[in-house]
Amino acid sequence: MKKKALFIIPPDRYNEEELNIPKDILTKAGVEVTVSSTKKGEITGDGKVITKSTSIFNEEDMAKYDVIAVIGGSGTIDHLWNNKELIDYLKDAYNKKILITGICAGSCVIAQTGLLKGRKGTCYPVENMIDELKKADVTYLTDHVVKHDDIITSDGPMGAKDFGETLVGVLK
């Protein structure tokens, strides 16, 4: 059976590298990647590259996915941090044994679920994001990728390739 990934991006100002590098790596490995957001249609990234969200994330049947990734970007802080619908969706997916992952500011959303409490994680190395991890009782590491069996976090564009490769390795 073909593996499937759901990549959730903010409705504007997603990070192009954090979306496209892992997406390309997964696609080349035969993983079907769906890009979703809080809205459907064209979404402009931080670098003005336009991508398309084909669905609204909470309308997606999470059971058909092997992994869910929350992608970073400046819009993630504004639109996805503390987003109750997203946090509940991620907790529900986690309880259904779906791999939960985040990159950059998306890692902070994962921390906000409480699922990383007392564990290690990473995010983009800036104070507001590191503080968000610490606030959720997550030990911040400077690694590009921090992998647990059930949750993976990544630091941002500099770790996007490692993030994609780690996801492929887990999905094999």
Side-chain angles (χ1 to χ4, degrees), residues 48 79 84-85 91 96 112 124 137 141 143 150:
K48 307 300 180 206
H79 300 287
K84 183 170 173 15
E85 287 181 12
K91 285 179 181 178
K96 292 179 175 161
Q112 290 170 349
Y124 195 74
D137 193 25
L141 300 179
D143 302 354
D150 52 354

Side-chain angles (χ1 to χ4, degrees), residues 55-76:
S55 65
I56 296 172
F57 76 86
N58 60 0
E59 294 175 359
E60 284 287 342
D61 176 9
M62 68 182 66
K64 70 181 187 180
Y65 294 100
D66 302 287
V67 61
I68 297 174
V70 181
I71 305 301
S74 59
T76 299

Side-chain angles (χ1 to χ4, degrees), residues 1-5 30-33 64 66 170-172:
M1 188 162 90
K2 188 172 190 167
K3 299 289 184 174
K4 294 183 179 186
V31 177
E32 183 181 314
V33 179
K64 70 181 187 180
D66 302 287
V170 169
L171 293 173
K172 283 187 175 180

Side-chain angles (χ1 to χ4, degrees), residues 76-165:
T76 299
I77 296 169
D78 295 337
H79 300 287
L80 301 182
W81 278 20
N82 299 307
N83 179 314
K84 183 170 173 15
E85 287 181 12
L86 178 56
I87 288 168
D88 289 346
Y89 186 83
L90 293 169
K91 285 179 181 178
D92 192 24
Y94 179 86
N95 289 331
K96 292 179 175 161
K97 307 295 185 218
I98 297 165
L99 179 64
I100 303 302
T101 70
I103 184 168
C104 190
S107 295
C108 297
V109 177
I110 305 304
Q112 290 170 349
T113 66
L115 299 171
L116 270 176
K117 183 177 176 141
R119 302 204 287 175
K120 297 172 183 171
T122 193
C123 60
Y124 195 74
V126 292
E127 189 174 344
N128 66 327
M129 291 190 203
I130 295 168
D131 287 348
E132 200 62 34
L133 290 186
K134 289 178 180 177
K135 188 165 80 176
D137 193 25
V138 177
T139 301
Y140 169 71
L141 300 179
T142 59
D143 302 354
H144 286 313
V145 175
V146 176
K147 178 182 168 284
H148 301 278
D149 290 338
D150 52 354
I151 297 174
I152 298 171
T153 56
S154 182
D155 60 356
M158 56 278 200
K161 180 176 182 278
D162 291 345
F163 180 64
E165 290 170 350

